[in-house]
Every structure is written in structure tokens, then in C-alpha cells.
Amino acid sequence: MRSHSYHDVLTGRRRRAAVREVVAEPGLVLEDPTSGFCGALVRLEHGAAVLEDRHGRHRVFPLAPAAFLLEGKPVTLVPPRAQPDPRGRRSASGSVRVTGLRARTARDSRIWVEGRHDAELVERVWGHDLRVEGVVVEPLDGVDELADRVAEFGPGPGRRLGVLVDHLVPGSKESRLVAAVRDDDVLVTGHPYVDVWQAVRPAAVGITAWPTVPRDREWKAGVCAALGWGEPAAGWRRVLAGVRSFRDLETPLIGAVERLIDFVTTQGE
């Protein structure tokens, strides 16, 4: 093997020539100069390179400066740069984030939720998706007059309506109100929780579980009292601040909202 150094005539010292660094891409044909083993790079593992020769035999060689020959010249293998985490290009809902987004003109279709907290939570997680699709979310302030409100809205092809309902379980008041709505251009989904706060995973807000609140007490006030959160307005700020992505929400809410978005955006226009 030839020496890859040169003599510095000014200092009288011999300097080693710089060795080229090569990204360790699988398939590179490399030679170990000590043993003469030649093979294609299979992978890097635990600070070593695995080579495979033409007979299928594998040998492991430690990574070190100028440890291999590539086309007869010494090289230093360096690991490939880590690829950016694709989650960095994801929205809070897990969808691919659209860069340089300009909000689409709002559709005639709408998504209704029961109250302001529901609307803020949906915006927190699905806001990017909703702007991409041009979908407006509006709070209803309860579903007691749902059938009348739907009739007033006048759903139809190209004007669909999705409704998210809290505590939508068999036998509940909400289930009876929803049963009165029958229209092919209206989809009502819901979750089983008494309040949308419960659809946030307890760990996201630093608790082990949501407190049990007696039925004769307003749920949010009871929760805040049990946890020492003060008034419900202060409690809601804690809850909303704890939600960073869909991973902080319970599955029933995620599924319900995703179904509504799909419903109001897949329509004949």
C-alpha cells in the first residue's frame, strides 16, 4: 500500500494527506487493507461496518479514520445524516402540513359543536386541516334545539352539515335529540364523555384520572373544585394548554371529528 503523505519543505516535517470522508451508503464496494477482504457495505451497526463479499460471507470491521479503501484509495466512512423527523412536517392532527397555506374560501358546509370549549379544542388539533379544506366550525350552545337548527340551516348536496355531540350514549338525552335528525346530508357523531374536557387524556393535564363528580353538580365546577383549579375558566386554560396534538385526546373524540371532516369535504360540488 502506498504511503499517502508528503514532505513539507519549509518545516522539514512529513504531513499526512487529508483522507476523504465518504457517506456510508449501502452497496459501496470497500476493501479492508489489513485483511484484503473486499465486499459491499451492508449496514452500519454499533460503530462498525458490515461488508458482504461475492460469496455472501459477512465480515464486521470497526469504523476508524482511513479504515477502508474505495477504488484503491483510503477513505473514512461517516454515517448518513439523520433524516428530519417527518413529524416535524405534520400538523397537530397528524396530517401532512401544507406549507405556504392560504386558507381556502369557506365551504357552505359546516361543522357544529356544542360549545366554545369544543370549538377551541377542535381548532387546537384540526385547525390546519380545516383551513386547508375551508371548513368552518361553529358552536351551538347546546343541542336542545338541534332538529330546528338543522331545518333552518337547510342541508343539501354541496351544503352538508356535521354535528359533534357530547355524551352521545344510548338512553341519554343527547341520543334522543339526535334521533330526531334524519337527513342524508347531515352526519351526527359524538363521544361518550360528559364534557369535552374528559376527552383529553388525563396525563396531558398532569393528573392520573378525571375526578368523579356527583350528578347533581355542574361537571366543570366539580372537577375544578376537586383538582384545586379555581374557576372553570381557569381550569379550561389548563386543559387547552395541555393539548399539543391528537395524541393528547381519547380515541372516541378523534374518530368522531375525523368522520365529520371527511363527511363535509367529500361531497358533490
Side-chain angles (χ1 to χ4, degrees), residues 74-194:
V75 295
T76 298
L77 287 185
V78 295
R81 288 185 179 181
Q83 295 298 313
D85 187 343
R87 289 176 296 182
R89 299 192 297 270
R90 298 278 176 177
S91 71
S93 72
S95 65
V96 176
R97 182 175 290 279
V98 179
T99 57
L101 169 68
R102 286 188 176 182
R104 170 178 171 162
T105 301
R107 298 171 182 261
D108 289 335
S109 298
R110 292 287 186 271
I111 291 178
W112 288 351
V113 296
E114 286 206 41
R116 179 175 61 86
H117 291 177
D118 306 72
E120 290 178 353
L121 188 60
V122 169
E123 165 63 26
R124 182 84 164 189
V125 176
W126 289 275
H128 176 79
D129 307 58
L130 295 169
R131 284 185 287 278
V132 169
E133 298 292 350
V135 177
V136 175
V137 174
E138 299 174 343
L140 278 174
D141 297 323
V143 293
D144 288 350
E145 299 177 357
L146 181 59
D148 291 340
R149 295 288 300 275
V150 170
E152 182 182 330
F153 178 79
R159 186 175 169 78
R160 283 184 162 182
L161 180 62
V163 186
L164 179 69
V165 177
D166 298 341
H167 198 226
L168 190 57
V169 295
S172 67
K173 177 191 74 172
E174 290 81 4
S175 67
R176 293 191 294 272
L177 292 168
V178 166
V181 178
R182 297 180 181 179
D183 191 304
D184 290 342
D185 293 303
V186 178
L187 174 65
V188 181
T189 67
H191 56 76
Y193 310 109
V194 174

